[in-house]
């Protein structure tokens, strides 16, 4: 699918979809809780469908959705299926793999770049516990039972490994610990995990670069209204800061979601932000170049790249090496596509230096099969003198299937 977008002044109100990060974790906790749980403000995306599908295929739960309410009958112990289709969702496979170590043979399958992403921390754990772990092509097969103990993990590859263990270890018969070998990046995602677990009756302790997991614990059913998604909201906040004024509704101002930091950055560099309850109004300002360490907010890199392009001056995006291992190499993807639109971008091993001018030229751009690259390029069209033609724009369905409908709500039309 191609989308041909032209510049306009964003205006109006856009309500944020539920947080994908919270939904993944809430679905899993509800699946582990015997009884009925309800998730309010629910919405499907490709990644959430992958997690729901795999939870049912593991025999853990039954899931039904009516409107914006998801009902989960959890705590089941059905035989399940031997093969689990994770689509392109890294969260799905990394969160569920430890839970699948129940003595049965399970095979996780994926598409795109999913199975090319790092899995060494789990491979090492399985080897230490004499659990079968075979990674061949787009398939990972495991067979064995997870045992309690002390788990040593790197903190700078992906916080998803830590989340996977935090979800699984409380159900074991003895306490466990997680010790990080390197400082934790994307720490906000781990805090999301722990906060959602608390709502379902499970607690863990964080002590610097280590976690203590009491066991055995039992997940309990809960009703949860899922807060809005800051990662998704980032694109609309940047759009408003560069080119207009938007009310972005449905955001928890006290959220532990890491991408909330983008809103703090926008305020620091000159955008006007006004909070009223769970709605923030973002208004274009005289923006100044920035220097941003994104080690805790890697998903914001595509949007921040466009933000930098729209500011007259040189901005630096640092400590971004991990984004080369996402759905695309996001540093390479953003450098290439912004260059097509006339922006001078210097690419480092873990950084981008963007020499922004505030204006772009139009033309054809590629999404590199990456939902966040696609949405960032839509924002870039606001700065372009001619239409921007986004090829393979359908990839937004991975996290934001309604994105282009939301784009219309704030005034966007196809050229």
């Amino acid at each position: 699918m191609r989308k041909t977008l032209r510049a306009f002044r964003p205006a109006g109100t856009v309500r944020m979809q539920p947080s994908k990060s919270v939904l993944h974790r809430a679905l899993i906790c509800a699946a582990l809780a015997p009884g009925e749980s309800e998730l309010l403000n629910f919405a499907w995306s490709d990644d959430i469908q992958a997690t729901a599908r795999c939870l049912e295929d593991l025999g853990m739960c039954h899931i039904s959705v009516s409107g914006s309410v998801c009902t989960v009958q959890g705590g089941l112990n059905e035989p399940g299926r031997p093969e689990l289709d994770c689509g392109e969702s890294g969260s799905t496979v990394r969160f569920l793999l430890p839970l699948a170590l129940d003595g049965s043979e399970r095979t996780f399958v994926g598409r795109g770049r999913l199975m090319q992403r790092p899995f060494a921390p789990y491979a090492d754990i399985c080897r230490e516990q004499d659990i079968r772990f075979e990674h061949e092509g787009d398939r990972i097969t495991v067979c064995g039972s997870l045992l309690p103990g002390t788990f040593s993990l790197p903190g700078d590859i992906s916080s998803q490994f830590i989340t996977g263990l935090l979800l699984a270890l409380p159900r074991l018969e003895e306490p466990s610990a997680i010790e990080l070998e390197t400082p934790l990046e994307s720490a906000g995602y781990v805090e999301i995990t722990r906060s959602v677990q608390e709502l379902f009756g499970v607690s863990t302790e964080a002590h610097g670069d280590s976690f203590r997991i009491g066991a055995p614990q039992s997940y309990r059913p809960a009703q949860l209204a899922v807060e809005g998604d800051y990662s998704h909201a980032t694109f609309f906040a940047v759009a408003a800061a560069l080119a207009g004024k938007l009310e972005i509704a449905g955001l928890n101002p006290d959220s532990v979601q890491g991408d909330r930091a983008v809103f703090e950055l926008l305020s620091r560099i000159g955008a006007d932000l006004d909070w009223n309850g769970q709605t923030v109004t973002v208004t274009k300002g005289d923006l100044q170049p920035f220097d941003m360490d994104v080690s805790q907010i890697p998903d914001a890199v595509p949007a921040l790249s466009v933000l930098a392009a729209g500011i007259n001056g040189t901005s630096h995006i640092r400590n971004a090496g991990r984004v080369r291992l996402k759905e695309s190499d996001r540093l390479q993807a953003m450098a290439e596509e912004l260059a097509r639109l006339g922006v001078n971008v210097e690419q480092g091993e873990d950084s981008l230096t963007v020499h922004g001018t505030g204006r772009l030229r139009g033309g054809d751009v590629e999404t590199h099969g990456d939902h966040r690259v696609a949405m960032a390029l839509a924002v870039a069209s606001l700065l372009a003198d001619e239409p921007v033609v986004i090829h393979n724009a359908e990839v937004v369905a991975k996290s934001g299937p309604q994105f282009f409908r939301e784009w219309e709500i704030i005034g966007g039309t196809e050229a």
Side-chain angles (χ1 to χ4, degrees), residues 317-336:
I317 297 170
R318 298 181 290 105
N319 292 327
R322 287 186 301 135
V323 307
R324 293 191 183 278
L325 304 173
K326 296 288 188 176
E327 286 83 349
S328 69
D329 177 341
R330 285 181 178 163
L331 295 185
Q332 180 74 23
M334 293 310 302
E336 287 183 4

Side-chain angles (χ1 to χ4, degrees), residues 26-38 55-56 59-64 70-78 171 200 219-222:
L27 278 171
I28 294 168
C29 291
L32 295 170
E36 183 175 293
S37 295
E38 281 190 339
L55 287 169
E56 290 191 318
M60 293 181 174
C61 65
H62 293 155
I63 297 171
S64 59
C70 175
T71 303
V72 182
Q73 297 291 339
L76 306 183
N77 189 26
E78 298 178 350
R171 304 173 69 232
F200 287 85
Y219 287 88
R220 299 194 299 267

Side-chain angles (χ1 to χ4, degrees), residues 162-173:
I162 299 158
T163 285
L165 290 172
L166 286 173
L167 291 166
L169 292 174
R171 304 173 69 232
L172 303 185
E173 291 302 315

Side-chain angles (χ1 to χ4, degrees), residues 306-363:
V306 172
L307 175 65
I311 299 172
N312 190 26
T314 299
S315 294
H316 303 277
I317 297 170
R318 298 181 290 105
N319 292 327
R322 287 186 301 135
V323 307
R324 293 191 183 278
L325 304 173
K326 296 288 188 176
E327 286 83 349
S328 69
D329 177 341
R330 285 181 178 163
L331 295 185
Q332 180 74 23
M334 293 310 302
E336 287 183 4
E337 301 314 316
L338 286 175
R340 290 187 183 191
L341 296 175
V343 184
N344 181 6
V345 181
E346 298 174 37
Q347 189 180 163
E349 183 178 346
D350 67 346
S351 65
L352 290 179
T353 298
V354 182
H355 302 282
T357 63
R359 294 306 305 170
L360 309 180
R361 62 172 179 250

Side-chain angles (χ1 to χ4, degrees), residues 22 51 159 198 243 263 277 280 283 286 337 365 394 396:
V22 173
T51 289
S159 65
E198 289 274 1
F263 288 72
V280 59
T283 306
D286 182 15
E337 301 314 316
V365 290
E394 69 276 3
V396 299

Side-chain angles (χ1 to χ4, degrees), residues 180-217:
L180 299 184
E181 301 163 346
T182 54
L184 177 59
E185 298 185 2
S186 296
Y189 290 107
V190 175
E191 287 310 300
I192 293 172
T193 303
R194 297 181 62 241
S195 66
V196 173
Q197 284 181 292
E198 289 274 1
L199 296 172
F200 287 85
V202 168
S203 63
T204 61
E205 299 177 12
H207 301 281
D209 287 333
S210 67
F211 300 88
R212 299 290 180 265
I213 301 97
Q217 297 185 62

